[in-house]
Amino acid sequence: MANHLDLEEQEQIEQLKHFWNSWGTLITSVLVVVFLGLAGWNGWQYWQKRQATQASALEFAVDEALTAKDAARADQAFSELRDKYAGTAQAAQTALLMAKASVDAGKLDDAKAQLSWVAEKGDESFKALARIRLSSVLEQQKSYDEGLKVLEAAMPESYAGLQADRRGDLYVALGKQTEAVAQYQAAYKALDKDLDYRHLVEFKLNALGVAPEAATLVKTTPSEK
């Protein structure tokens, strides 16, 4: 009986040896790739969290400096944030904050540079918001055609109303009333009816002597039915 078991064990061992000789290298390679992938993923996650933490600290520093009206310190913190953590949401948010402060201070060229940076480096939502605001800065600088060019870029659907409204403003500045009305009508359609901003677009249309398309439906009397 013992000899019989020994023979079975030896046969199993030989089968295992054959299997390992045939597939061992492949199995080892797959395991190495899996473990390296897990290590890389964990490392990437750690790096992302570290980047976000450090970027948030600099974002806070910029906010504090702007509140204290310390422009030099705000510029320094933002420069570090932009240079080291350009790909983070905090960098884009801070650039928008810096641009607002620049506009409030009358530094339109600085605002233009900050918003242009977000329009290039941010994600799609930040890019759209930056372009909307950049078109406003360019309008203040009387660069109307440049403002319209900025608004040519594709934007998420949620920005369609604001995009059209800004085009309307620029066409008004250029004295192109027909084009302005078309853009305001598009904005009025795109904006949610519960938004206060939609009423502003309606006011702009009324100022041009036009009613919003939704309000120009011809009403019929009972005798006309």
Side-chain angles (χ1 to χ4, degrees), residues 6-40:
D6 289 344
L7 288 173
E8 285 187 352
E9 289 176 356
Q10 289 177 5
E11 184 177 350
Q12 290 175 355
I13 290 171
E14 289 300 320
Q15 288 176 347
L16 286 172
K17 286 181 178 179
H18 177 72
F19 175 81
W20 187 255
N21 288 335
S22 300
W23 302 101
T25 301
L26 178 61
I27 291 172
T28 300
S29 299
V30 170
L31 289 174
V32 168
V33 170
V34 169
F35 287 129
L36 286 175
L38 288 172

Short mmCIF file of all heavy atoms in Angstrom, two decimals, residues 6-40:
data_model
loop_
_atom_site.label_atom_id
_atom_site.label_comp_id
_atom_site.label_asym_id
_atom_site.label_seq_id
_atom_site.Cartn_x
_atom_site.Cartn_y
_atom_site.Cartn_z
N ASP A 6 3.31 5.89 -2.80
CA ASP A 6 4.54 6.55 -3.24
C ASP A 6 4.53 6.77 -4.74
O ASP A 6 4.94 7.81 -5.25
CB ASP A 6 5.76 5.71 -2.85
CG ASP A 6 6.01 5.76 -1.34
OD1 ASP A 6 5.44 6.66 -0.70
OD2 ASP A 6 6.74 4.91 -0.84
N LEU A 7 4.03 5.77 -5.47
CA LEU A 7 3.97 5.88 -6.92
C LEU A 7 3.00 6.98 -7.36
O LEU A 7 3.27 7.74 -8.29
CB LEU A 7 3.53 4.54 -7.54
CG LEU A 7 4.57 3.42 -7.48
CD1 LEU A 7 3.97 2.10 -7.96
CD2 LEU A 7 5.78 3.79 -8.36
N GLU A 8 1.85 7.09 -6.66
CA GLU A 8 0.89 8.13 -6.97
C GLU A 8 1.46 9.52 -6.69
O GLU A 8 1.30 10.46 -7.48
CB GLU A 8 -0.39 7.94 -6.14
CG GLU A 8 -1.27 6.81 -6.63
CD GLU A 8 -2.59 6.76 -5.89
OE1 GLU A 8 -2.72 7.51 -4.90
OE2 GLU A 8 -3.47 6.00 -6.28
N GLU A 9 2.16 9.64 -5.55
CA GLU A 9 2.77 10.92 -5.20
C GLU A 9 3.83 11.31 -6.22
O GLU A 9 3.91 12.48 -6.62
CB GLU A 9 3.38 10.84 -3.81
CG GLU A 9 2.34 10.76 -2.68
CD GLU A 9 2.99 10.58 -1.33
OE1 GLU A 9 4.23 10.44 -1.29
OE2 GLU A 9 2.26 10.59 -0.33
N GLN A 10 4.62 10.33 -6.61
CA GLN A 10 5.66 10.62 -7.60
C GLN A 10 5.06 11.05 -8.93
O GLN A 10 5.55 11.96 -9.60
CB GLN A 10 6.55 9.38 -7.80
CG GLN A 10 7.44 9.08 -6.61
CD GLN A 10 8.24 7.81 -6.81
OE1 GLN A 10 8.21 7.21 -7.88
NE2 GLN A 10 8.97 7.40 -5.77
N GLU A 11 3.94 10.38 -9.31
CA GLU A 11 3.28 10.73 -10.56
C GLU A 11 2.72 12.15 -10.49
O GLU A 11 2.84 12.91 -11.45
CB GLU A 11 2.14 9.74 -10.82
CG GLU A 11 1.46 9.97 -12.17
CD GLU A 11 0.38 8.93 -12.44
OE1 GLU A 11 0.28 7.94 -11.70
OE2 GLU A 11 -0.37 9.14 -13.41
N GLN A 12 2.11 12.51 -9.33
CA GLN A 12 1.59 13.87 -9.16
C GLN A 12 2.70 14.91 -9.20
O GLN A 12 2.55 15.98 -9.78
CB GLN A 12 0.83 13.97 -7.83
CG GLN A 12 -0.48 13.19 -7.83
CD GLN A 12 -1.14 13.20 -6.47
OE1 GLN A 12 -0.57 13.72 -5.50
NE2 GLN A 12 -2.33 12.62 -6.39
N ILE A 13 3.81 14.55 -8.58
CA ILE A 13 4.95 15.48 -8.58
C ILE A 13 5.47 15.68 -10.00
O ILE A 13 5.78 16.81 -10.41
CB ILE A 13 6.07 14.93 -7.67
CG1 ILE A 13 5.63 15.02 -6.20
CG2 ILE A 13 7.36 15.71 -7.88
CD1 ILE A 13 6.58 14.31 -5.24
N GLU A 14 5.53 14.60 -10.77
CA GLU A 14 5.98 14.71 -12.15
C GLU A 14 5.04 15.57 -12.98
O GLU A 14 5.47 16.36 -13.82
CB GLU A 14 6.11 13.31 -12.77
CG GLU A 14 7.26 12.48 -12.22
CD GLU A 14 8.61 13.16 -12.45
OE1 GLU A 14 8.80 13.75 -13.54
OE2 GLU A 14 9.44 13.11 -11.52
N GLN A 15 3.72 15.40 -12.71
CA GLN A 15 2.74 16.20 -13.43
C GLN A 15 2.89 17.69 -13.09
O GLN A 15 2.80 18.55 -13.96
CB GLN A 15 1.33 15.73 -13.08
CG GLN A 15 0.98 14.38 -13.69
CD GLN A 15 -0.39 13.89 -13.26
OE1 GLN A 15 -0.99 14.45 -12.33
NE2 GLN A 15 -0.89 12.85 -13.91
N LEU A 16 3.12 17.95 -11.80
CA LEU A 16 3.32 19.34 -11.38
C LEU A 16 4.56 19.94 -12.02
O LEU A 16 4.57 21.10 -12.46
CB LEU A 16 3.41 19.43 -9.86
CG LEU A 16 2.10 19.27 -9.09
CD1 LEU A 16 2.36 19.19 -7.59
CD2 LEU A 16 1.16 20.45 -9.39
N LYS A 17 5.64 19.14 -12.06
CA LYS A 17 6.87 19.60 -12.69
C LYS A 17 6.65 19.93 -14.16
O LYS A 17 7.12 20.96 -14.68
CB LYS A 17 7.96 18.55 -12.55
CG LYS A 17 8.55 18.43 -11.16
CD LYS A 17 9.64 17.37 -11.16
CE LYS A 17 10.30 17.26 -9.77
NZ LYS A 17 11.37 16.22 -9.75
N HIS A 18 5.91 19.04 -14.83
CA HIS A 18 5.64 19.26 -16.25
C HIS A 18 4.81 20.52 -16.46
O HIS A 18 5.08 21.33 -17.37
CB HIS A 18 4.90 18.04 -16.82
CG HIS A 18 4.52 18.21 -18.26
ND1 HIS A 18 5.44 18.19 -19.30
CD2 HIS A 18 3.29 18.43 -18.84
CE1 HIS A 18 4.81 18.39 -20.44
NE2 HIS A 18 3.49 18.53 -20.18
N PHE A 19 3.77 20.66 -15.60
CA PHE A 19 2.93 21.84 -15.71
C PHE A 19 3.74 23.12 -15.48
O PHE A 19 3.61 24.10 -16.22
CB PHE A 19 1.79 21.76 -14.67
CG PHE A 19 0.92 22.99 -14.62
CD1 PHE A 19 -0.09 23.17 -15.55
CD2 PHE A 19 1.14 23.97 -13.66
CE1 PHE A 19 -0.89 24.31 -15.51
CE2 PHE A 19 0.35 25.11 -13.63
CZ PHE A 19 -0.67 25.28 -14.55
N TRP A 20 4.57 23.11 -14.44
CA TRP A 20 5.36 24.30 -14.13
C TRP A 20 6.38 24.60 -15.22
O TRP A 20 6.59 25.78 -15.56
CB TRP A 20 6.05 24.12 -12.78
CG TRP A 20 6.73 25.40 -12.34
CD1 TRP A 20 8.04 25.68 -12.34
CD2 TRP A 20 6.07 26.57 -11.87
NE1 TRP A 20 8.26 26.95 -11.89
CE2 TRP A 20 7.07 27.53 -11.60
CE3 TRP A 20 4.73 26.91 -11.63
CZ2 TRP A 20 6.78 28.80 -11.10
CZ3 TRP A 20 4.44 28.18 -11.15
CH2 TRP A 20 5.47 29.10 -10.89
N ASN A 21 6.98 23.56 -15.77
CA ASN A 21 7.93 23.76 -16.86
C ASN A 21 7.26 24.38 -18.08
O ASN A 21 7.85 25.16 -18.81
CB ASN A 21 8.59 22.44 -17.25
CG ASN A 21 9.58 21.96 -16.20
OD1 ASN A 21 10.13 22.76 -15.43
ND2 ASN A 21 9.81 20.65 -16.14
N SER A 22 5.98 24.01 -18.27
CA SER A 22 5.25 24.53 -19.43
C SER A 22 4.70 25.93 -19.21
O SER A 22 4.71 26.76 -20.12
CB SER A 22 4.09 23.57 -19.77
OG SER A 22 4.58 22.28 -20.08
N TRP A 23 4.20 26.21 -18.00
CA TRP A 23 3.48 27.43 -17.74
C TRP A 23 4.08 28.32 -16.65
O TRP A 23 3.60 29.42 -16.41
CB TRP A 23 2.03 27.11 -17.35
CG TRP A 23 1.31 26.33 -18.39
CD1 TRP A 23 1.05 24.99 -18.39
CD2 TRP A 23 0.75 26.85 -19.60
NE1 TRP A 23 0.37 24.62 -19.51
CE2 TRP A 23 0.17 25.76 -20.30
CE3 TRP A 23 0.69 28.12 -20.17
CZ2 TRP A 23 -0.46 25.91 -21.52
CZ3 TRP A 23 0.06 28.26 -21.39
CH2 TRP A 23 -0.51 27.17 -22.06
N GLY A 24 5.10 27.83 -16.00
CA GLY A 24 5.65 28.57 -14.86
C GLY A 24 6.11 29.97 -15.20
O GLY A 24 5.83 30.93 -14.47
N THR A 25 6.81 30.12 -16.32
CA THR A 25 7.32 31.43 -16.71
C THR A 25 6.19 32.41 -16.96
O THR A 25 6.22 33.58 -16.52
CB THR A 25 8.19 31.32 -17.97
OG1 THR A 25 9.28 30.42 -17.71
CG2 THR A 25 8.74 32.68 -18.36
N LEU A 26 5.15 31.94 -17.66
CA LEU A 26 4.01 32.80 -17.96
C LEU A 26 3.28 33.22 -16.67
O LEU A 26 2.95 34.39 -16.49
CB LEU A 26 3.03 32.08 -18.88
CG LEU A 26 1.74 32.84 -19.23
CD1 LEU A 26 2.08 34.14 -19.95
CD2 LEU A 26 0.83 31.97 -20.10
N ILE A 27 3.08 32.24 -15.78
CA ILE A 27 2.39 32.54 -14.52
C ILE A 27 3.18 33.56 -13.71
O ILE A 27 2.62 34.52 -13.17
CB ILE A 27 2.18 31.25 -13.70
CG1 ILE A 27 1.15 30.35 -14.40
CG2 ILE A 27 1.71 31.57 -12.29
CD1 ILE A 27 1.01 28.98 -13.79
N THR A 28 4.48 33.36 -13.64
CA THR A 28 5.33 34.29 -12.90
C THR A 28 5.26 35.70 -13.50
O THR A 28 5.16 36.70 -12.78
CB THR A 28 6.79 33.80 -12.91
OG1 THR A 28 6.84 32.50 -12.31
CG2 THR A 28 7.68 34.75 -12.13
N SER A 29 5.29 35.77 -14.83
CA SER A 29 5.24 37.07 -15.51
C SER A 29 3.92 37.78 -15.22
O SER A 29 3.90 38.99 -14.95
CB SER A 29 5.40 36.89 -17.02
OG SER A 29 6.66 36.30 -17.31
N VAL A 30 2.83 37.01 -15.27
CA VAL A 30 1.51 37.60 -15.01
C VAL A 30 1.44 38.13 -13.58
O VAL A 30 0.96 39.24 -13.32
CB VAL A 30 0.39 36.58 -15.26
CG1 VAL A 30 -0.95 37.13 -14.74
CG2 VAL A 30 0.29 36.26 -16.73
N LEU A 31 1.93 37.34 -12.63
CA LEU A 31 1.91 37.77 -11.23
C LEU A 31 2.75 39.01 -11.02
O LEU A 31 2.37 39.92 -10.27
CB LEU A 31 2.41 36.63 -10.34
CG LEU A 31 1.47 35.44 -10.19
CD1 LEU A 31 2.15 34.32 -9.40
CD2 LEU A 31 0.17 35.85 -9.49
N VAL A 32 3.90 39.07 -11.68
CA VAL A 32 4.76 40.25 -11.56
C VAL A 32 4.04 41.49 -12.08
O VAL A 32 4.06 42.56 -11.46
CB VAL A 32 6.09 40.03 -12.32
CG1 VAL A 32 6.85 41.35 -12.43
CG2 VAL A 32 6.95 39.01 -11.60
N VAL A 33 3.38 41.34 -13.25
CA VAL A 33 2.65 42.47 -13.84
C VAL A 33 1.52 42.92 -12.91
O VAL A 33 1.31 44.12 -12.70
CB VAL A 33 2.07 42.08 -15.22
CG1 VAL A 33 1.10 43.15 -15.72
CG2 VAL A 33 3.19 41.88 -16.22
N VAL A 34 0.79 41.96 -12.34
CA VAL A 34 -0.31 42.28 -11.44
C VAL A 34 0.19 43.04 -10.22
O VAL A 34 -0.36 44.08 -9.83
CB VAL A 34 -1.07 41.01 -11.01
CG1 VAL A 34 -2.05 41.32 -9.86
CG2 VAL A 34 -1.82 40.42 -12.19
N PHE A 35 1.26 42.50 -9.59
CA PHE A 35 1.78 43.16 -8.39
C PHE A 35 2.36 44.53 -8.69
O PHE A 35 2.20 45.47 -7.91
CB PHE A 35 2.84 42.27 -7.72
CG PHE A 35 2.26 41.07 -7.03
CD1 PHE A 35 2.75 39.80 -7.27
CD2 PHE A 35 1.20 41.21 -6.13
CE1 PHE A 35 2.20 38.70 -6.63
CE2 PHE A 35 0.66 40.12 -5.49
CZ PHE A 35 1.15 38.84 -5.74
N LEU A 36 3.03 44.65 -9.84
CA LEU A 36 3.55 45.96 -10.23
C LEU A 36 2.42 46.94 -10.50
O LEU A 36 2.50 48.12 -10.15
CB LEU A 36 4.44 45.83 -11.47
CG LEU A 36 5.82 45.21 -11.27
CD1 LEU A 36 6.52 45.05 -12.61
CD2 LEU A 36 6.66 46.06 -10.33
N GLY A 37 1.34 46.41 -11.12
CA GLY A 37 0.19 47.27 -11.38
C GLY A 37 -0.45 47.76 -10.09
O GLY A 37 -0.79 48.93 -9.97
N LEU A 38 -0.59 46.88 -9.13
CA LEU A 38 -1.16 47.27 -7.84
C LEU A 38 -0.27 48.29 -7.13
O LEU A 38 -0.75 49.27 -6.56
CB LEU A 38 -1.35 46.04 -6.95
CG LEU A 38 -2.49 45.09 -7.36
CD1 LEU A 38 -2.44 43.82 -6.51
CD2 LEU A 38 -3.84 45.77 -7.22
N ALA A 39 1.04 48.04 -7.19
CA ALA A 39 1.98 48.97 -6.56
C ALA A 39 1.92 50.33 -7.24
O ALA A 39 1.93 51.38 -6.59
CB ALA A 39 3.39 48.41 -6.62
N GLY A 40 1.84 50.30 -8.59
CA GLY A 40 1.76 51.56 -9.33
C GLY A 40 0.49 52.32 -9.03
O GLY A 40 0.50 53.54 -8.87
#
